[in-house]
């Protein structure tokens, strides 16, 4: 029977004289697809080989110089153009999913030059980041290759990449920089031409050489100022897009991009790129309203170590136990939006004390909660958890590089402690007719991983 089945199925024709190239040898997408200049965007994180020092104060208020763990440059790049489209810095032993989310969102925003803090610092004429300075509109690419180390460890990234970045999302192999070779080459070029000149820069130990300093400047003589370093990186990244490149026969990326667009080259762009950038950081989840009429505990939602309430839910005991679709901005977790099953905005909730006063990311809230769980901080009766954590870090500054790094990493939140009662600037501040509707869940098949649902778990289409 098996012989008859095989006979009916037939056997494939094989031409022994025809040589087939081994597809397994393909290491990058351009070896498989015929990609155009604007198709492929790569993201990755690169550790800066610099020993940075930061100036602060110890528990007694005395000035003290402390080293920080590490500084990461996370960048996005149009790979074939060798053109930077976004970047950010992370000041920690390792960057997290929130940092990575920021870079992806910045790709969708129109770049504007900064007001540089150093009066002698200037942008190179004609330079910029992304496609907008060259073409007047934002293009985000049709294929996105992501750093597998941090790209999808944060739930919001998997939820929003497919809906906001769109196109093909390609998760590269962790620890294999060759799969993002063009971005690695861009990073290496910035390292050699700019980063090596910073005070405290060094060439790391290799197989044949020991660690060596690349300049004679003492980092303690030039303490890190985050604003100044970010201005410098913005100038460097913008200048790289107007520097001649060997792969373009000496032309710069912007010149190549303009010629490509003028010749009718295809670029992926939408009119609502700014809205997509805002939506990039919105985490979708399920929220259940809790409370107790018997114990006079007003309805609330518990999420990420914080309680959320609204006066609109006062004495609404009929809603206790009801589930809603919810969205929270990971960059400022003080606001939660609840949606009906039809996708209509139901109510806007605000976080209660001690999380209501100062803008803070969910990543910072998790750091504070870890300290609370370890008994390092007691938030009982505390008005502002961010302020309490700031004081805790100040007490540990002299003895802890981690404390110094966190102070720099979350500088915006700690600075905001000085301006209390600042309302969160979120999409809820728009008129009601402009409030977002709950996004439908997308489903796709990722090779090697099987089916992955992106968006709200259990959402009915």
């Amino acid at each position: 029977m098996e012989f008859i089945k095989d006979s009916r199925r037939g056997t494939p024709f094989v031409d022994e004289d025809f040589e087939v190239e081994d597809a397994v040898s393909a290491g990058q997408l351009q070896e498989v697809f015929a990609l155009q200049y604007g198709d492929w965007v790569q993201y990755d994180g690169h550790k800066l080989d610099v020993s940075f020092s930061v100036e602060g104060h110890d528990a007694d208020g005395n000035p003290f110089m402390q080293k920080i763990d590490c500084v990461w440059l996370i960048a996005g790049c149009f790979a074939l153009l060798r053109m930077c489209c976004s970047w950010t810095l992370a000041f920690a032993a390792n960057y997290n999913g929130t940092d990575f989310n920021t870079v992806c969102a910045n790709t969708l925003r129109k770049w504007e030059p900064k007001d540089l803090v150093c009066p002698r610092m200037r942008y190179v004429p004609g330079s910029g980041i992304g496609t907008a300075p060259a073409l007047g509109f934002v293009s985000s690419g049709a294929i996105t290759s992501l750093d597998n180390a941090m790209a999808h460890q944060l739930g919001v990234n998997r939820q929003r990449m497919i809906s906001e970045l769109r196109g093909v999302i390609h998760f590269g192999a962790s620890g294999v920089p060759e799969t993002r070779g063009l971005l690695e080459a861009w990073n290496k070029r910035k390292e050699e031409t700019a980063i090596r000149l910073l005070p405290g820069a060094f060439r790391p130990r290799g197989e044949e050489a020991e660690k060596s300093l690349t300049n004679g400047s003492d980092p303690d003589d030039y303490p890190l100022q985050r604003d100044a370093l970010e201005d410098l990186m913005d100038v460097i990244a913008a200048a790289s897009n107007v520097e001649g490149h060997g792969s373009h026969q000496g032309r710069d990326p912007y010149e190549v991009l303009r010629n490509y667009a003028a010749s009718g080259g295809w670029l992926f762009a939408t009119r609502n790129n700014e809205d997509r950038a805002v939506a990039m950081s919105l985490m979708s989840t399920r929220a259940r309203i809790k409370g107790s009429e018997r114990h006079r505990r007003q309805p609330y939602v518990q999420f990420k170590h914080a309680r959320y309430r609204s006066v609109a839910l006062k004495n609404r005991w009929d809603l206790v136990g009801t589930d809603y679709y919810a969205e929270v901005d990971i960059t400022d977790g003080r606001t939660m939006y609840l949606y009906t099953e039809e996708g209509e905005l139901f109510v806007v909730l605000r976080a209660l004390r001690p999380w209501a006063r100062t803008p803070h990311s969910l990543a910072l809230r998790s750091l504070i909660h870890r300290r609370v769980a370890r008994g390092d901080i007691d938030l009982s009766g505390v008005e502002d958890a961010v302020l309490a954590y700031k004081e805790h870090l100040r007490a540990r500054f002299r003895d802890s590089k981690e404390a110094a790094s966190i102070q720099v990493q979350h500088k915006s939140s700690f600075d905001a402690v000085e301006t209390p009662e600042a309302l969160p600037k979120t999409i809820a501040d728009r008129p009601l007719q402009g409030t977002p509707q709950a996004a439908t869940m997308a489903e796709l098949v990722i090779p090697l991983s099987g089916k992955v649902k992106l968006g709200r778990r259990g959402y009915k289409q």
Side-chain angles (χ1 to χ4, degrees):
M1 290 297 294
E2 292 299 326
F3 174 78
I4 295 175
K5 290 179 181 179
D6 291 339
S7 299
R8 288 177 176 175
R9 281 195 296 261
T11 56
F13 171 75
V14 178
D15 185 354
E16 297 181 355
D17 295 329
F18 182 74
E19 295 183 0
V20 180
E21 183 179 356
D22 186 8
V24 179
S25 63
Q28 296 200 22
L29 289 178
Q30 74 267 29
E31 299 173 3
V32 181
F33 303 106
L35 300 177
Q36 301 183 73
Y37 280 125
D39 288 347
W40 192 17
V41 178
Q42 296 181 350
Y43 294 93
D44 202 0
H46 184 71
K47 184 184 298 185
L48 300 186
D49 296 329
V50 183
S51 297
F52 286 105
S53 296
V54 61
E55 187 176 10
H57 297 85
D58 59 16
D60 298 326
N62 300 316
F64 185 79
M65 200 72 66
Q66 178 64 276
K67 299 290 184 183
I68 63 174
D69 287 321
C70 183
V71 178
W72 292 82
L73 170 64
I74 310 110
C77 179
F78 278 87
L80 301 184
L81 284 169
R82 276 73 172 179
M83 186 192 78
C84 179
C85 57
S86 63
W87 66 273
T88 193
L89 294 177
F91 302 82
N94 199 356
Y95 64 96
N96 57 35
T98 304
D99 299 320
F100 192 88
N101 180 277
T102 299
V103 178
C104 294
N106 288 343
T107 297
L108 301 172
R109 294 188 170 98
K110 187 175 181 180
W111 176 83
E112 297 290 345
K114 292 174 173 285
D115 293 329
L116 305 177
V117 296
C118 179
R120 292 187 297 172
M121 193 183 300
R122 295 285 187 275
Y123 285 99
V124 175
S127 65
I129 298 175
T131 62
L135 302 177
F137 62 87
V138 175
S139 174
S140 55
I143 298 177
T144 303
S145 290
L146 303 162
D147 175 19
N148 200 53
M150 285 294 162
H152 56 87
Q153 287 193 11
L154 184 67
V156 66
N157 288 339
R158 276 199 175 274
Q159 293 171 358
R160 296 298 182 178
M161 281 175 184
I162 189 66
S163 61
E164 309 309 331
L165 292 183
R166 304 182 180 179
V168 177
I169 310 299
H170 168 233
F171 290 96
S174 178
V176 185
E178 291 78 11
T179 60
R180 297 171 298 277
L182 298 176
L183 180 53
E184 286 291 326
W186 184 90
N187 275 325
K188 184 66 175 177
R189 190 174 185 180
K190 298 305 104 187
E191 188 78 45
E192 293 295 339
T193 59
I195 307 303
R196 301 279 191 226
L197 304 178
L198 294 176
F202 59 89
R203 202 176 302 277
R205 178 180 179 180
E207 296 181 359
E208 300 179 358
E210 297 292 329
K211 174 181 175 181
S212 60
L213 299 177
T214 56
N215 61 73
S217 300
D218 188 344
D220 286 347
D221 295 334
Y222 304 90
L224 170 66
Q225 297 291 333
R226 175 166 178 165
D227 294 339
L229 182 60
E230 288 180 333
D231 286 356
L232 175 64
M233 294 308 305
D234 202 56
V235 171
I236 292 172
S240 70
N241 289 337
V242 291
E243 293 175 352
H245 201 284
S247 64
H248 298 321
Q249 295 78 45
R251 298 176 297 168
D252 62 69
Y254 271 4
E255 181 182 358
V256 175
L257 175 62
R258 292 189 184 98
N259 292 338
Y260 171 72
S263 64
W266 187 87
L267 291 165
F268 177 73
T270 61
R271 293 186 179 91
N272 66 335
N273 56 287
E274 290 291 343
D275 294 333
R276 289 163 55 202
V278 172
M280 228 4 246
S281 61
L282 292 178
M283 173 178 285
S284 301
T285 185
R286 295 284 292 186
R288 173 168 294 180
I289 296 181
K290 301 179 180 179
S292 174
E293 183 177 10
R294 177 183 175 185
H295 297 95
R296 305 302 297 173
R297 186 179 300 159
Q298 289 294 331
Y300 68 93
V301 171
Q302 184 80 27
F303 177 75
K304 295 292 184 181
H305 322 299
R307 287 187 176 185
Y308 294 78
R309 276 195 182 134
S310 170
V311 292
L313 298 183
K314 186 176 181 180
N315 296 329
R316 290 296 306 272
W317 311 114
D318 57 305
L319 297 178
V320 174
T322 307
D323 290 338
Y324 288 91
Y325 303 116
E327 285 183 345
V328 179
D329 192 329
I330 64 173
T331 62
D332 187 354
R334 295 179 296 166
T335 305
M336 174 182 287
Y337 315 94
L338 298 188
Y339 296 90
T340 65
E341 289 192 1
E342 291 74 26
E344 298 295 331
L345 183 64
F346 175 64
V347 68
V348 179
L349 307 179
R350 303 291 184 184
L352 300 182
R353 164 183 100 167
W355 304 107
R357 181 177 176 181
T358 303
H360 62 277
S361 66
L362 296 184
L364 177 57
R365 188 187 296 177
S366 296
L367 284 176
I368 298 174
H369 178 72
R370 271 184 234 144
R371 289 295 176 185
V372 173
R374 291 170 53 178
D376 297 334
I377 306 178
D378 184 7
L379 297 183
S380 301
V382 171
E383 189 70 27
D384 188 354
V386 178
L387 175 60
Y389 191 49
K390 180 180 180 180
E391 295 299 324
H392 170 73
L393 293 176
R394 180 177 177 177
R396 297 180 62 236
F397 181 86
R398 187 182 187 92
D399 304 316
S400 173
K401 292 197 299 182
E402 179 189 18
S405 299
I406 294 174
Q407 282 186 337
V408 179
Q409 171 74 352
H410 298 283
K411 179 178 181 296
S412 59
S413 291
F414 295 139
D415 288 346
V417 169
E418 309 300 330
T419 56
E421 306 301 333
L423 293 177
K425 295 180 180 180
T426 64
I427 53 178
D429 297 327
R430 300 178 184 175
L432 287 179
Q433 60 269 23
T435 54
Q437 293 199 358
T440 57
M441 181 188 65
E443 183 176 307
L444 77 163
V445 176
I446 300 178
L448 305 181
S449 299
K451 280 190 174 182
V452 176
K453 292 180 183 293
L454 304 173
R456 292 178 181 79
R457 185 175 299 172
Y459 189 89
K460 298 178 181 179
Q461 288 183 316

